[in-house]
């Protein structure tokens, strides 16, 4: 009689997955810390939340946490850095749009949708408030906002050279105004208040069109 072949069980679930590398385990732990820190910052505020609170949220010893982050400021810097990957995707999509107004508006709405769906609006407000009194966080915020503003400037200047837009005033004024409007929209999280992002997009489109393609210059003499 032919001998039967031994049955080999197929790996299932986690056993079928390749083991994580040390770098992957570290990245996973960092994300756990950032998520726990976000919860603490939103619940207690940056001033009220302590590294010990974050440890309790994680079930991690202080010594272990400090191996990853030496301070709350370092955690905020990491949270900001993590969001830059989303911003990079947003800018890439914006740059591929042949219509500069449409590209800017869609990128802005995508960012507002991300802030809403991720639940980051309260955290964004807390970080912004803390930046008013904490120089380290202020530096992180200014660096991040500066990079965003530089991307917008490059985008608009290229459109101006192509003759696609003729802003109502100089970009040195338009860009900070746009950034302030965007920051206010992000902090207020209008979808959470029942305001449709479709409505926000329609209003934003009219506003940006008026800024970048005005019927007459704001300071034009008659």
């Amino acid at each position: 009689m032919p001998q039967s072949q031994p049955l080999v069980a197929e790996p299932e679930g986690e056993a079928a997955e390749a083991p994580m590398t040390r770098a992957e385990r570290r990245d996973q732990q960092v994300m756990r810390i950032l998520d726990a820190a976000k919860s603490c910052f939103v619940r207690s505020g940056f001033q009220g939340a302590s590294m010990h609170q974050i440890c309790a949220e994680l079930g991690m010893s202080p010594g272990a946490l400090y191996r990853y982050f030496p301070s709350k400021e370092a955690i905020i810097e990491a949270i900001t850095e993590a969001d830059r990957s989303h911003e990079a995707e947003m800018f890439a999509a914006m740059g591929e749009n042949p219509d500069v107004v449409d590209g800017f508006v869609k990128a802005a709405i995508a960012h507002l949708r991300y802030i809403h769906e991720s639940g980051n609006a309260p955290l964004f407000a807390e970080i912004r408030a803390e930046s008013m009194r904490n120089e380290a966080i202020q530096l992180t915020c200014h660096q991040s906002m500066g990079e965003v503003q530089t991307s917008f400037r490059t985008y608009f200047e290229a459109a101006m050279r192509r003759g696609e837009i003729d802003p109502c005033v100089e970009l040195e004024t338009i860009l900070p105004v746009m950034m302030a409007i965007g920051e206010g929209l992000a902090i207020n999280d209008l979808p959470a208040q029942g305001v449709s992002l479709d409505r926000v997009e329609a209003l934003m489109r009219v506003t940006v069109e008026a800024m970048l393609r005005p019927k007459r210059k704001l300071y034009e003499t008659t």
Side-chain angles (χ1 to χ4, degrees):
M1 294 179 61
Q3 293 183 343
S4 59
Q5 296 296 320
L7 297 176
V8 179
E10 291 292 330
E12 297 181 359
E14 294 183 1
E17 299 176 1
M20 287 192 297
T21 64
R22 178 175 297 183
E24 288 171 336
R25 287 196 299 272
R26 179 179 176 81
D27 289 344
Q28 187 180 69
Q29 190 74 303
V30 165
M31 292 310 300
R32 284 187 63 237
I33 294 170
L34 297 186
D35 287 342
K38 288 177 184 180
S39 298
C40 291
F41 293 153
V42 170
R43 184 170 60 246
S44 304
F46 185 85
Q47 292 291 327
S50 66
M51 293 292 271
H52 284 284
Q53 266 190 350
I54 296 171
C55 288
E57 186 85 11
L58 281 164
M60 176 184 286
S61 70
L65 175 60
Y66 280 104
R67 283 202 298 270
Y68 291 92
F69 296 103
S71 65
K72 291 188 291 183
E73 287 81 6
I75 292 176
I76 291 295
E77 186 174 352
I79 289 172
T80 303
E81 184 62 35
D83 282 342
R84 284 181 185 162
S85 61
H86 165 74
E87 291 172 355
E89 293 176 5
M90 179 183 77
F91 296 143
M94 182 177 70
E96 293 171 0
N97 195 313
D99 185 316
V100 65
V101 171
D102 187 59
F104 175 82
V105 170
K106 285 184 175 177
I109 292 298
H111 182 64
L112 293 178
R113 181 174 287 108
Y114 166 75
I115 292 291
H116 171 66
E117 292 178 351
S118 65
N120 278 348
L123 176 67
F124 188 74
E126 180 62 33
I127 292 174
R128 196 67 181 92
E130 183 61 24
S131 72
M132 303 295 183
R133 52 183 176 261
N134 186 314
E135 290 185 2
I137 293 181
Q138 183 181 77
L139 181 62
T140 297
C141 287
H142 283 181
Q143 180 180 355
S144 178
M145 298 291 278
E147 290 175 3
V148 173
Q149 187 164 311
T150 297
S151 296
F152 290 156
R153 175 183 290 278
T154 300
Y155 188 50
F156 291 153
E157 285 178 342
M160 290 170 67
R161 288 193 296 271
R162 294 193 299 268
E164 295 175 11
I165 58 174
D166 185 17
C168 61
V169 294
E170 66 283 350
L171 290 181
E172 286 73 17
T173 298
I174 283 182
L175 288 169
V177 169
M178 285 182 161
M179 295 293 290
I181 292 172
E183 187 175 52
L185 290 171
I187 289 174
N188 282 279
D189 192 11
L190 295 181
Q193 301 179 40
V195 181
S196 166
L197 275 180
D198 289 340
R199 296 282 185 165
V200 175
E201 180 175 353
L203 183 57
M204 185 180 292
R205 194 173 295 278
V206 171
T207 303
V208 174
E209 185 77 29
M211 286 183 178
L212 300 183
R213 292 175 180 148
K215 293 181 179 178
R216 62 186 291 271
K217 287 295 186 76
L218 188 61
Y219 299 131
E220 189 174 75
T221 57
T222 57

